[in-house]
Amino acid sequence: MLTAARWCLSRKIGDTSAKNEKKGFFSKCNGKTKEILLFCLLAAILLFAAWRLFGGKDSETASLEMSETEAKVIRILEEIDGVGEASVMVYETEDGAQSAVVVCEGAERFSVVVDVREAVATALGIPQKSVKVYLKKE
């Protein structure tokens, strides 16, 4: 890229050594096209830098990893009578837990759903209506 940019600058300044270089892609482009290509390249670099800074791998892995809170809730749920294996996802903001989704074995029984909803709501300090419980596939 730098070589092409230097070549373009040397062509505008009138450097005669640039005439001896092989004609490449940029030699076929007019001035406006070169400006557009350079702008697009800079925009792509800026987008990539912003993605890495604000939404890169660290954010993705953090959202995919089980939080300590979720692990604790799972341990509690699997101790409840009638609940088998459980998965939990807790939606948290800066203010704390807001809601939770539980997928567990045994949720076909209403009493298990009630127990799970009460346990999760109490453990997270959220209203029971913010806890959704679903039956886990076999």
Side-chain angles (χ1 to χ4, degrees):
M1 178 61 196
L2 289 176
T3 306
R6 285 185 194 136
W7 185 83
C8 289
L9 288 174
S10 66
R11 295 288 288 170
K12 286 184 179 180
I13 296 171
D15 184 9
T16 57
S17 64
K19 293 179 182 178
N20 296 334
E21 292 183 24
K22 289 185 178 180
K23 294 194 177 222
F25 173 75
F26 283 103
S27 65
K28 298 176 185 174
C29 300
N30 64 22
K32 188 70 173 172
T33 304
K34 290 176 189 174
E35 289 176 11
I36 291 171
L37 288 172
L38 185 61
F39 176 77
C40 290
L41 179 64
L42 290 174
I45 290 170
L46 285 174
L47 283 173
F48 179 74
W51 173 75
R52 291 295 295 166
L53 185 63
F54 298 111
K57 185 178 179 184
D58 294 338
S59 297
E60 291 176 16
T61 56
S63 66
L64 296 177
E65 292 176 0
M66 184 184 313
S67 73
E68 187 177 333
T69 303
E70 291 168 339
K72 287 179 180 179
V73 171
I74 289 171
R75 285 195 300 271
I76 291 169
L77 292 179
E78 290 179 346
E79 295 295 319
I80 296 174
D81 184 39
V83 177
E85 187 178 329
S87 299
V88 175
M89 186 182 86
V90 177
Y91 174 69
E92 296 179 89
T93 63
E94 293 176 1
D95 300 326
Q98 300 297 312
S99 62
V101 176
V102 177
V103 179
C104 65
E105 295 173 346
E108 68 272 1
R109 293 189 6 231
F110 182 72
S111 62
V112 171
V113 172
V114 171
D115 290 343
V116 167
R117 186 172 287 137
E118 286 177 0
V120 172
T122 303
L124 298 176
I126 59 176
Q128 288 187 25
K129 67 180 183 178
S130 297
V131 179
K132 303 300 179 198
V133 181
Y134 300 97
L135 177 63
K136 187 170 193 150
K137 288 193 284 185
E138 293 181 15

